[in-house]
Amino acid sequence: MAPATAEGHAPFRGHRTWYRVTGPSGPSSASGASGPSGSGKAPLVVLHGGPGCTHDYVLAFADLAAATGRQVIHYDQLGNGRSTHLPDAGADFWTVGLFLDELDNLLAHLGIAGGYHLLGQSWGGMLGAEHAVRRPTGLRSLVIANSPASMPLWLEAAAGLRAALPAEVEAVLREHEAAGTTDSGEYAEAMRVFYDRHVCRIPWPDEVARTFAAIDADPTVYHTMNGPSEFHVVGTLRDWTIVDRLERIAAPTLIISGRHDEATPEAVRPYADRIPGARWQVFEDSSHMPHVEERAACMSAVGAFLDAHDPAL
């Protein structure tokens, strides 16, 4: 039997953060907080990427509710999906600090700030690392999935991956980037060639397609903080780095990435080198989404890691 699910909204600065809890002892109503899981296992909170994506494409991690007997909590970050949209908010509104505060607010609303695991995918891993360097007392473990440790490293890696694209594809990308016409259909077609190599190498499942459709419907956060594509980063995050702060992370940390990932080994390696005791697992048949491309193997690895770092019953 599939685990129970429940949805709700956490009030946040006059707005609302939508969340979904999968697994035991979920919230009894859309407005009620869940508290810790009755299984004795700390819940897992999943941070989606972007910035500007939605929870849909990382829904596979809900598999861990049945596999490990814990709550798995997804949410849409402010400005995205089922949370409050703010298309008129300026660039100074969309900051790393905003999303850190939103995460803290959600943990408190759900009553789990005293004990939880955190998994962040892509931008979500960057956000998770920012959370972890503050050494929150309730953080049991951290999973950083397919995330760069700095945007300059990400851009350097992207340049190398782009150089390996067919010449005509790269020419189209550069032409539209120079002209400021990255919203054209031709640019989107050329962009998809890169995505099919380095973002998701299998036919896109519905949940992945839903996330990309949501970005197209409201690209406010993605365009402001990132840019028009995964490899043309001109937004407010373009100079972001956490490399010089990684030694502060005290929580047990698992790093995962794909062999064909747009988050290349050079962009990921500082996490493995600088976080004390961190372990790094590479999925050989995946790019940026091992949770989709090698779903069973990814869930097995993450589930075992979480089980190893649950609080004593």
Side-chain angles (χ1 to χ4, degrees), residues 48-53 77-80 89-100 102 123-124 126-127 130 151 154-155 215 218-230 232-240:
H48 66 68
C53 291
Q77 295 160 23
L78 192 65
N80 308 295
D92 58 346
F93 179 84
W94 303 110
T95 65
V96 173
L98 170 76
F99 293 109
L100 286 171
E102 182 186 31
W123 147 254
M126 297 156 61
L127 183 62
E130 288 275 8
M151 292 311 291
W154 173 274
L155 287 169
I215 296 173
D218 184 356
T220 302
V221 181
Y222 188 73
H223 284 181
T224 300
M225 297 185 74
N226 185 81
S229 70
E230 292 290 276
H232 189 51
V233 180
V234 293
T236 57
L237 278 180
R238 61 187 176 275
D239 297 320
W240 175 88

Side-chain angles (χ1 to χ4, degrees), residues 7 47 52 60 67 71 79 91 138 143 174 178 207 232 235 238 272-273 282 309:
E7 300 179 5
L47 310 179
Q71 292 178 347
V143 181
R174 291 192 179 279
E207 62 268 25
H232 189 51
R238 61 187 176 275
D273 289 348
V282 178
H309 297 289

Side-chain angles (χ1 to χ4, degrees), residues 129-302:
E130 288 275 8
H131 180 79
V133 297
R134 301 185 303 170
R135 297 188 173 183
T137 57
L139 181 61
R140 297 290 180 253
S141 76
L142 174 67
V143 181
I144 298 173
N146 319 99
S147 306
S150 84
M151 292 311 291
L153 287 174
W154 173 274
L155 287 169
E156 184 178 344
L161 296 175
R162 283 181 60 157
L165 293 173
E168 63 274 15
V169 173
E170 175 63 3
V172 168
L173 294 173
R174 291 192 179 279
E175 175 187 346
H176 287 287
E177 288 165 2
T181 52
T182 54
D183 57 350
S184 73
E186 189 177 40
Y187 186 83
E189 290 179 9
M191 184 171 66
R192 182 63 187 259
V193 176
F194 180 96
Y195 285 20
D196 285 344
R197 290 186 177 195
H198 301 297
V199 177
C200 185
R201 291 166 65 86
I202 65 172
W204 288 8
D206 288 345
E207 62 268 25
V208 173
R210 287 200 303 273
T211 284
F212 279 96
I215 296 173
D216 289 342
D218 184 356
T220 302
V221 181
Y222 188 73
H223 284 181
T224 300
M225 297 185 74
N226 185 81
S229 70
E230 292 290 276
F231 44 78
H232 189 51
V233 180
V234 293
T236 57
L237 278 180
R238 61 187 176 275
D239 297 320
W240 175 88
T241 183
I242 199 169
V243 171
D244 60 347
R245 293 176 284 144
L246 291 173
E247 286 87 354
R248 301 180 195 172
I249 295 179
T253 302
L254 172 67
I255 303 150
I256 63 176
S257 62
R259 180 62 63 194
H260 310 282
D261 207 326
E262 59 180 342
T264 64
E266 293 75 18
V268 174
R269 184 165 290 115
Y271 289 121
D273 289 348
R274 291 175 174 261
I275 298 175
R279 182 164 64 85
W280 185 5
Q281 181 165 347
V282 178
F283 290 86
E284 296 294 332
D285 295 322
S286 293
S287 56
H288 199 52
M289 299 187 185
H291 63 279
V292 170
E293 297 163 287
E294 295 181 73
R295 182 167 176 164
C298 182
M299 297 306 139
S300 177
V302 173

